[in-house]
Amino acid sequence: MSECGHPKMKDDQEIEDLHFDETERFVLSLIRQFCIAYTQSAHPLWECAFDFACHNKGPKEGPAIAYAVLTVMRTMREARKSTFRYNNPGCSCCRKRVSNCERLLLNAFHLTRHGDRSSAQMELLMLCEGHDTRSVLTAMEQLTSLVGSLGFSDHQASQSKSAVFH
């Protein structure tokens, strides 16, 4: 049990230990916002996710990135058969941890950003339990292309493209 009272899963890792860069952490925040929106549809949480993106990346870039992340999430949900486990972005304790599902998805994003398509595909295959991930990888590549075209920095460009976080 964590200090907030939420159960800590054995495969959770501290986000600080995974060395994701600013862009990858931003995408993780959006993923979590959309997960909340999927699971708590009674609240206008879709708007919160887009507002978060606009506030952090501007009125032009924010919605474009948010939509690209949502497309990744939608295609992943179609490919994956079991529940995607995520940590609550609203809990100051839980948001410091990354679930195994979140880690696999962010690893795929990280690897795609570094041009390692085959390793990204392997991460997505694990995430999607061996199901067809072509549409997820395509959506991930579109997100990567968008992030790159908007000039968001990659603080780990000098790091090996095979630096997957386990």
Side-chain angles (χ1 to χ4, degrees), residues 103-123:
R103 183 181 53 76
L104 289 168
L105 190 57
L106 281 184
N107 279 344
F109 179 56
H110 175 86
L111 290 162
T112 303
R113 291 177 73 204
H114 287 83
D116 191 349
R117 189 176 200 273
S118 61
S119 295
Q121 180 74 33
M122 291 304 298
E123 295 289 311

Side-chain angles (χ1 to χ4, degrees), residues 21-95:
D21 70 18
E22 181 181 325
T23 300
E24 292 157 352
R25 287 177 186 227
F26 173 72
V27 167
L28 174 63
S29 295
L30 276 175
I31 288 167
R32 288 174 170 176
Q33 293 281 336
F34 285 126
C35 285
I36 291 281
Y38 278 123
T39 59
Q40 298 178 14
S41 60
H43 302 290
L45 295 168
W46 299 100
E47 294 172 7
C48 294
F50 279 90
D51 287 346
F52 172 80
C54 287
H55 176 75
N56 285 279
K57 299 298 181 185
K60 183 178 178 185
E61 294 87 357
I65 295 171
Y67 184 75
V69 170
L70 182 57
T71 301
V72 169
M73 294 299 296
R74 183 182 48 77
T75 57
M76 183 268 306
R77 289 181 75 225
E78 290 170 358
R80 186 180 166 85
K81 303 306 177 209
S82 63
T83 303
F84 180 87
R85 201 174 65 72
Y86 66 96
N87 284 307
N88 185 348
C91 175
S92 61
C93 183
C94 294
R95 71 175 165 233

Side-chain angles (χ1 to χ4, degrees), residues 105-165:
L105 190 57
L106 281 184
N107 279 344
F109 179 56
H110 175 86
L111 290 162
T112 303
R113 291 177 73 204
H114 287 83
D116 191 349
R117 189 176 200 273
S118 61
S119 295
Q121 180 74 33
M122 291 304 298
E123 295 289 311
L124 291 174
L125 280 169
M126 287 186 285
L127 175 67
C128 296
E129 302 150 332
H131 297 283
D132 186 4
T133 59
R134 287 177 290 189
S135 62
V136 186
L137 185 58
T138 298
M140 185 75 66
E141 290 170 334
Q142 290 170 347
L143 171 61
T144 298
S145 177
L146 176 64
V147 167
S149 73
L150 295 174
F152 294 117
S153 64
D154 179 0
H155 297 293
Q156 296 179 332
S158 62
Q159 193 173 33
S160 168
K161 66 182 179 181
S162 63
V164 177
F165 308 109

